[in-house]
Amino acid sequence: MFAVHLLAFYFTKLKEDQIKKVDRFLYHMRLSDDVLLDVMTRFQAEMVKGLERDAHPTAAVKMLPTFVRSIPDGSEKGDFLALDLGGSKFRVLKVKVSEDGKQNVQMESQFYPTPKEITHGNGTELFDYVADCLADFMETKNIKHKKFPLGFTFSFPCIQTKLDEGVLLSWTKYFKVRGVQETDVISSLRHVLRKHKDVDVDVLALVNDTVGTMMTCGYDDQRCEVGVIIGTGTNACYMEEMSNIDLVEGDEGRMCINTEWGAFGDDGSLDDLRTEFDREIDLGSINPGKQLFEKMISGLYLGELVRLILLKMAKKGLLFNGKISTALRTKDKIETKHVAAMEKHKKGLQNTKEILMELGLTPSEEDCIAVQHVCTIVSFRSANLCAAALAAILTRLRENKKLIRLRTTVGIDGTLYKTHPQYPKRLHKVVRRLVPNCDVRFLLSESGSAKGAAMVTAVACRLVSQRKQIDEILASFELSKENLIEVKNKMREELEYGLKKETHATATVKMLPTYVCGTPDGTEKGKFLALDLGGTNFRVLLVKIRSGRRKSVRMYNKIFAIPLEIMQGTGEELFDHIVQCIADFLEYMGIKGARLPLGFTFSFPCRQASIDKGALVEWTKGFKATDCEGEDVVDMLREAIKRRNEFDLDIVAVVNDTVGTMMTCGYEDPNCEIGFIAGTGSNVCYMEEMKNIEIVEGTEGKMCINTEWGGFGDNGCIDSIRTKYDKEVDEGSLNPGKQRYEKMTSGMYLGEIVRQILIDLTKHGLLFRGQISESLRTRGIFETKFLSHIESFSGILRETVKEMAPQCDVTFMLSEDGSGKGAALITAVAKRLHNVEEN
Ligand code: BG6
Ligand code: GLC
Ligand code: GLC
């Protein structure tokens, strides 16, 4: 009895001695909670750095956006292929996701070796090999006849600007393939797949293994928002708020960030924690100076760390009686699986003995106990460091959500975590100690990352098919060169109809003579009033023109709103309102007494018999005041002035805005002979030879013609390029069937066209989750100015004109001062001619 006690005592003592010896020797590898909390704080700072635009380029922890924006929601379905490359094993898989109420995923897979010729060869060989394995898999499974979407788990740091792109930043772990770094692996894969005529796959998504793992686990547990790998390498991803990701536009929702935490410390920030063994591992690796955190943690390095420690201890005579075998001196002779075996509960000591003997050593009992303890310290440090970084991520998630307590799930995978007997429970325990305010569930990804990659691919697949439908819907807006030439020829035809006596009355492009026969010559002078009605704003202006050496134009103006009920009320109300605005302006300028000559820019089709007479043909755009069509607008203005009986004006000219614009620009550039408005409405005027204008007497010189091209197509001649949206916009307008060309081109309608498209896309379930909001139903809610934020039109206009009229050398000159200045110039000329006639 006594002997048994003595033996037990002796044994415990012996164990204690050995443990103390190793503890002393590896003092630097045993990390207290204070140190871990410090590591956690450092990693928090690294995450911030990686996310910030300015700090990102030099940040060690890259925090790469993955373009994965949500965890699976159960609506994913279909058959997918997946590749899983970069972990300890290369796999090709087929994943079938069915949406049948209860979630159901079936997988078939095959492992393929990755020999050193491949992992250390060149890029073409690697991708050819991957494609060959894929083809072989499809052959074996007899699925070559079918087209498959494919998701590619590629477990290396990649820069993504979309889901189906990944530019390799650098190789890590045991891969070092030439000519791949800084290239897009997706296009390389697509490229080699083209050689396999019998393989039809659509490579839709590249995912890191951490992301695949998060998605795999997210399929079973919606709370999963972190993915961790502790395998050959180590890394984590998590869902970050878009507003914190500087590198990606947009602030809404979340995106998964691949932290690439393996590179933590590459800038020296962990140097105080790294031991001589860590430095030695690094120097002997294929990527010295890189992945320093990973090299303290992951499966590729743990065994070697143990070996280096044992070797040193033996050299110091602390183990094996100072004897060293060749195997112990040989790199990588101890692997992570050995470490796991040596730490195994109960059988650990026996395993240790066998492993050491296989290394050509003759260990004593004490040696075995000591070696086992070395393994424990090394793998415990690994779990501790992972726990600290993971705690930093969890804290960030909790703070992002502004929660006091966070309840969350971490999806986790990797051979070290899965096969090391003590690792999971150590990791879990330390994480819970470091972040007591997080309730964490650790969910092992049983089926690997490919299931998750299939989920990501399913989403991408849905987006691709949506994109296709959207493209089909929008194809009706595309105009080929042939279309445009046809439009040009038709327009030419219609312009000629409008000029001819016989056809003028029925022409849809009205070609209205303006009685403006020349552009300004610089001799114009005097003080004039101008009105500018019919565009977005109503303006009243005072224009002072000087001629001669000190030639100049000075303008004073005021903008007035015209309320909708006036635009669409009675003619009398409209003109009374206009006169009211003029009265305000005269008052404001202090010139009420002066009877100034006035030019009236009236931006609607008017039939003119002289420069100061214009009968409104019909309202266009947003105007619909009663009792005006067919009436002379100059008379109506005069009568309204008379009704008010407060001041008098000398109305000299009525001018279309296109004509006013041409004159404004003509004052600066005598070559200007076209006036173009692309505003609320769309129209053009130009100088035509008198001999071509059959409806006006005389054949000498030129006259400006207001084309009123907005009415082009009102006879159906361009129906072939009108879309169903154009028709809807027309039907909902104030003048259905009229101004069809204007309704396809001008500001008053473009926003409305977009709104009609948005409604249609929503009805097809392609936008806004199929929900048409109240405001989207509201006419006019989508203003044209929103479009001009998105697109730039003037460049397109210029380029197309050049293409359609290659023999014309056209300068586009923006009329900065509006058409009011032109109206005043016309008035000045008319006034001078009038005076000449009178004298
Ligand atoms: C597998 C995943 O289960 O784990 C891979 O499917 C991942 O995508 C791997 O790379 C990581 O572990 P290891 O130990 O194989 O590197
Ligand atoms: C390495 C890779 C990383 C991967 C991890 C786990 O750290 O750089 O992308 O996620 O290994 O496989
Ligand atoms: C409408 C009018 C036209 C005007 C154009 C631009 O098309 O009918 O007269 O020039 O809008 O404002």
Side-chain angles (χ1 to χ4, degrees):
M1 196 61 199
F2 177 72
V4 174
H5 276 289
L6 192 64
L7 194 65
F9 170 77
Y10 169 76
F11 192 73
T12 314
K13 176 80 176 56
L14 182 137
K15 199 169 163 190
E16 263 175 23
D17 287 349
Q18 292 306 317
I19 287 177
K20 271 194 198 136
K21 175 176 79 184
V22 173
D23 277 351
R24 263 196 312 273
F25 188 73
L26 293 180
Y27 170 77
H28 213 61
M29 281 198 167
R30 295 165 57 217
L31 307 175
S32 68
D33 277 7
D34 281 345
V35 173
L36 295 181
L37 285 169
D38 181 32
V39 172
M40 173 178 156
T41 314
R42 291 189 215 178
F43 190 66
Q44 277 173 308
E46 292 295 323
M47 287 199 279
V48 172
K49 239 169 124 181
L51 289 171
E52 277 174 0
R53 186 180 303 280
D54 295 339
H56 175 85
T58 57
V61 178
K62 281 295 177 214
M63 305 294 282
L64 302 167
T66 64
F67 292 81
V68 168
R69 319 229 7 188
S70 60
I71 18 209
D73 66 0
S75 68
E76 299 75 11
K77 58 170 191 284
D79 287 339
F80 306 93
L81 286 176
L83 297 171
D84 188 351
L85 179 73
S88 51
K89 288 176 177 152
F90 170 40
R91 268 217 279 190
V92 184
L93 306 94
K94 177 171 169 277
V95 185
K96 188 182 183 66
V97 191
S98 39
E99 180 200 29
D100 58 354
K102 54 177 178 350
Q103 300 177 344
N104 188 356
V105 179
Q106 288 163 20
M107 309 202 336
E108 294 171 67
S109 76
Q110 194 163 318
F111 289 104
Y112 290 88
T114 41
K116 198 156 180 192
E117 303 91 82
I118 294 298
T119 58
H120 283 69
N122 68 43
T124 324
E125 286 157 3
L126 170 69
F127 288 106
D128 271 335
Y129 178 71
V130 169
D132 288 346
C133 295
L134 178 65
D136 175 76
F137 177 79
M138 292 176 82
E139 178 83 55
T140 326
K141 300 281 162 196
N142 200 12
I143 48 170
K144 266 200 171 157
H145 53 279
K146 212 181 138 194
K147 185 180 176 113
F148 282 94
L150 182 142
F152 186 11
T153 302
F154 183 70
S155 310
F156 299 96
C158 287
I159 298 185
Q160 297 189 268
T161 60
K162 52 183 183 215
L163 204 51
D164 59 345
E165 180 200 70
V167 175
L168 178 67
L169 262 177
S170 54
W171 287 112
T172 55
K173 301 177 280 192
Y174 61 98
F175 275 69
K176 201 173 182 114
V177 184
R178 290 184 300 280
V180 183
Q181 210 170 303
E182 283 169 27
T183 66
D184 174 16
V185 292
I186 290 281
S187 32
S188 307
L189 181 60
R190 283 184 182 145
H191 184 77
V192 295
L193 282 171
R194 261 181 244 134
K195 287 190 236 164
H196 291 260
K197 298 285 174 245
D198 49 348
V199 166
D200 189 9
V201 298
D202 216 352
V203 187
L204 291 184
L206 177 128
V207 288
N208 187 264
D209 53 354
T210 53
V211 183
T213 299
M214 181 187 80
M215 297 297 274
T216 298
C217 296
Y219 191 68
D220 299 322
D221 179 346
Q222 284 265 324
R223 244 187 252 280
C224 182
E225 48 189 348
V226 182
V228 173
I229 297 281
I230 308 173
T232 313
T234 183
N235 189 14
C237 72
Y238 72 101
M239 296 302 292
E240 177 60 90
E241 305 298 318
M242 278 292 283
S243 55
N244 294 332
I245 309 174
D246 284 0
L247 298 178
V248 183
E249 297 238 340
D251 278 342
E252 292 291 308
R254 302 201 293 174
M255 182 181 279
C256 178
I257 290 287
N258 166 16
T259 65
E260 284 295 329
W261 77 18
F264 181 25
D266 288 6
D267 56 359
S269 64
L270 293 177
D271 281 0
D272 56 334
L273 297 179
R274 292 175 64 228
T275 63
E276 58 179 302
F277 308 108
D278 296 308
R279 279 186 275 278
E280 216 176 320
I281 285 266
D282 179 44
L283 292 174
S285 69
I286 56 173
N287 51 352
K290 298 280 169 59
Q291 302 291 102
L292 298 185
F293 190 59
E294 179 162 272
K295 286 171 186 164
M296 295 163 88
I297 294 173
S298 76
L300 188 60
Y301 311 99
L302 279 199
E304 180 66 1
L305 268 178
V306 169
R307 186 187 70 86
L308 291 174
I309 295 167
L310 300 189
L311 182 62
K312 177 94 188 259
M313 286 180 80
K315 279 184 185 164
K316 285 194 171 261
L318 293 170
L319 283 177
F320 318 128
N321 259 331
K323 293 211 181 78
I324 301 167
S325 66
T326 319
L328 189 62
R329 284 188 204 279
T330 313
K331 191 164 178 255
D332 294 332
K333 274 289 171 190
I334 299 182
E335 293 175 33
T336 298
K337 64 175 187 217
H338 301 131
V339 178
M342 292 192 274
E343 282 188 72
K344 198 142 188 195
H345 189 54
K346 289 196 181 141
K347 281 174 74 184
L349 264 187
Q350 182 57 33
N351 288 346
T352 307
K353 189 168 182 188
E354 284 164 18
I355 289 165
L356 292 174
M357 284 171 65
E358 252 174 59
L359 289 172
L361 299 159
T362 31
S364 66
E365 197 79 25
E366 289 96 321
D367 286 335
C368 291
I369 293 171
V371 169
Q372 192 180 41
H373 195 53
V374 168
C375 292
T376 303
I377 290 183
V378 170
S379 61
F380 217 128
R381 184 184 69 154
S382 160
N384 274 337
L385 289 172
C386 263
L390 181 55
I393 291 181
L394 294 169
T395 303
R396 191 170 169 90
L397 275 173
R398 188 180 58 76
E399 287 172 357
N400 279 346
K401 294 185 183 184
K402 302 189 174 61
L403 292 175
I404 296 173
R405 276 200 89 74
L406 173 74
R407 193 173 155 198
T408 195
T409 299
V410 172
I412 191 160
D413 200 350
T415 35
L416 179 54
Y417 181 85
K418 281 199 296 204
T419 58
H420 188 289
Q422 325 285 346
Y423 203 97
K425 64 172 185 281
R426 288 181 190 158
L427 177 80
H428 303 173
K429 205 166 159 189
V430 183
V431 169
R432 293 191 176 117
R433 224 166 49 223
L434 294 180
V435 280
N437 44 10
C438 296
D439 301 314
V440 193
R441 175 180 183 217
F442 289 87
L443 186 56
L444 179 69
S445 154
E446 308 268 3
S447 37
S449 66
K451 179 164 143 188
M455 299 301 155
V456 176
T457 311
V459 174
C461 210
R462 191 166 64 213
L463 293 179
V464 167
S465 99
Q466 283 182 354
R467 180 78 237 179
K468 224 166 112 198
Q469 285 185 61
I470 293 175
D471 285 349
E472 275 164 22
I473 286 177
L474 296 183
S476 57
F477 284 92
E478 249 160 52
L479 296 171
S480 65
K481 189 165 179 186
E482 289 69 42
N483 290 143
L484 291 176
I485 292 174
E486 198 184 318
V487 171
K488 175 177 112 172
N489 294 340
K490 287 256 168 61
M491 177 69 94
R492 182 78 198 258
E493 232 169 75
E494 297 292 317
L495 297 177
E496 268 152 29
Y497 274 145
L499 287 175
K500 296 257 164 15
K501 206 176 221 142
E502 292 144 43
T503 42
H504 175 81
T506 55
T508 51
V509 177
K510 297 190 187 65
M511 305 299 279
L512 301 167
T514 64
Y515 294 85
V516 168
C517 295
T519 41
D521 65 1
T523 62
E524 300 76 10
K525 61 169 191 278
K527 261 193 212 170
F528 306 90
L529 275 184
L531 306 180
D532 189 349
L533 178 76
T536 312
N537 299 310
F538 170 48
R539 296 209 290 172
V540 185
L541 307 93
L542 174 65
V543 186
K544 295 184 183 171
I545 310 176
R546 274 190 173 168
S547 62
R549 265 197 302 125
R550 289 158 70 200
K551 181 181 145 184
S552 71
V553 178
R554 284 191 10 223
M555 307 206 294
Y556 309 87
N557 78 81
K558 209 168 168 200
I559 292 175
F560 297 90
I562 302 207
L564 195 70
E565 60 277 16
I566 302 257
M567 290 200 315
Q568 297 172 17
T570 69
E572 255 188 43
E573 281 166 340
L574 172 63
F575 280 90
D576 284 348
H577 180 78
I578 292 173
V579 172
Q580 164 78 54
C581 298
I582 302 175
D584 279 1
F585 181 73
L586 296 178
E587 186 101 31
Y588 170 75
M589 297 297 298
I591 48 170
K592 213 164 191 180
R595 187 177 182 268
L596 294 177
L598 176 137
F600 184 10
T601 303
F602 183 71
S603 310
F604 300 95
C606 283
R607 204 165 287 288
Q608 296 193 256
S610 63
I611 188 92
D612 64 345
K613 282 194 173 44
L616 173 64
V617 181
E618 60 192 353
W619 287 117
T620 56
K621 301 178 282 193
F623 280 71
K624 194 91 195 163
T626 55
D627 308 317
C628 297
E629 292 179 351
E631 301 298 321
D632 186 329
V633 292
V634 176
D635 285 348
M636 283 192 283
L637 182 59
R638 279 201 188 110
E639 275 156 29
I641 293 173
K642 234 183 258 161
R643 274 200 295 280
R644 189 172 177 103
N645 197 18
E646 228 181 75
F647 55 86
D648 198 11
L649 294 174
D650 175 15
I651 309 172
V652 180
V654 57
V655 181
N656 188 267
D657 52 354
T658 54
V659 185
T661 298
M662 180 182 81
M663 299 301 269
T664 301
C665 294
Y667 189 67
E668 313 295 335
D669 177 355
N671 287 325
C672 181
E673 48 185 355
I674 299 179
F676 171 43
I677 297 283
T680 311
S682 167
N683 192 14
V684 142
C685 74
Y686 70 101
M687 297 305 293
E688 178 59 276
E689 305 292 325
M690 276 298 280
K691 61 177 191 301
N692 294 333
I693 311 175
E694 294 185 0
I695 52 167
V696 180
E697 297 274 308
T699 53
E700 290 298 301
K702 294 184 183 186
M703 181 185 279
C704 177
I705 291 288
N706 166 16
T707 66
E708 287 294 329
W709 79 8
F712 178 44
D714 287 4
N715 57 2
C717 72
I718 50 170
D719 275 3
S720 63
I721 59 161
R722 286 176 80 221
T723 66
K724 68 172 184 182
Y725 309 102
D726 295 309
K727 286 171 198 153
E728 266 153 31
V729 168
D730 178 36
E731 277 155 25
S733 71
L734 281 178
N735 49 353
K738 300 279 174 66
Q739 301 291 100
R740 295 189 195 176
Y741 184 65
E742 176 160 272
K743 285 172 187 163
M744 295 166 81
T745 50
S746 81
M748 183 156 166
Y749 307 98
L750 292 191
E752 232 352 62
I753 296 176
V754 171
R755 189 179 70 91
Q756 295 295 347
I757 300 171
L758 296 187
I759 289 180
D760 201 31
L761 292 178
T762 313
K763 278 189 191 153
H764 279 81
L766 295 169
L767 278 182
F768 314 132
R769 293 171 186 270
Q771 299 294 316
I772 304 182
S773 67
E774 242 353 273
S775 29
L776 190 57
R777 279 184 218 282
T778 315
R779 191 176 294 286
I781 191 86
F782 202 90
E783 292 178 39
T784 298
K785 66 176 178 212
F786 299 161
L787 266 81
S788 48
H789 285 308
I790 302 167
E791 287 268 9
S792 132
F793 291 109
S794 57
I796 300 175
L797 174 76
R798 250 172 267 163
E799 277 160 32
T800 312
V801 167
K802 203 165 171 190
E803 197 183 346
M804 290 290 116
Q807 308 94 320
C808 303
D809 192 2
V810 188
T811 307
F812 287 81
M813 178 172 178
L814 183 67
S815 156
E816 311 250 11
D817 298 329
S819 61
K821 174 168 158 184
L825 289 165
I826 294 172
T827 308
V829 177
K831 192 74 197 155
R832 191 178 64 219
L833 294 177
H834 193 68
N835 290 345
V836 172
E837 271 169 35
E838 273 186 358
N839 296 335

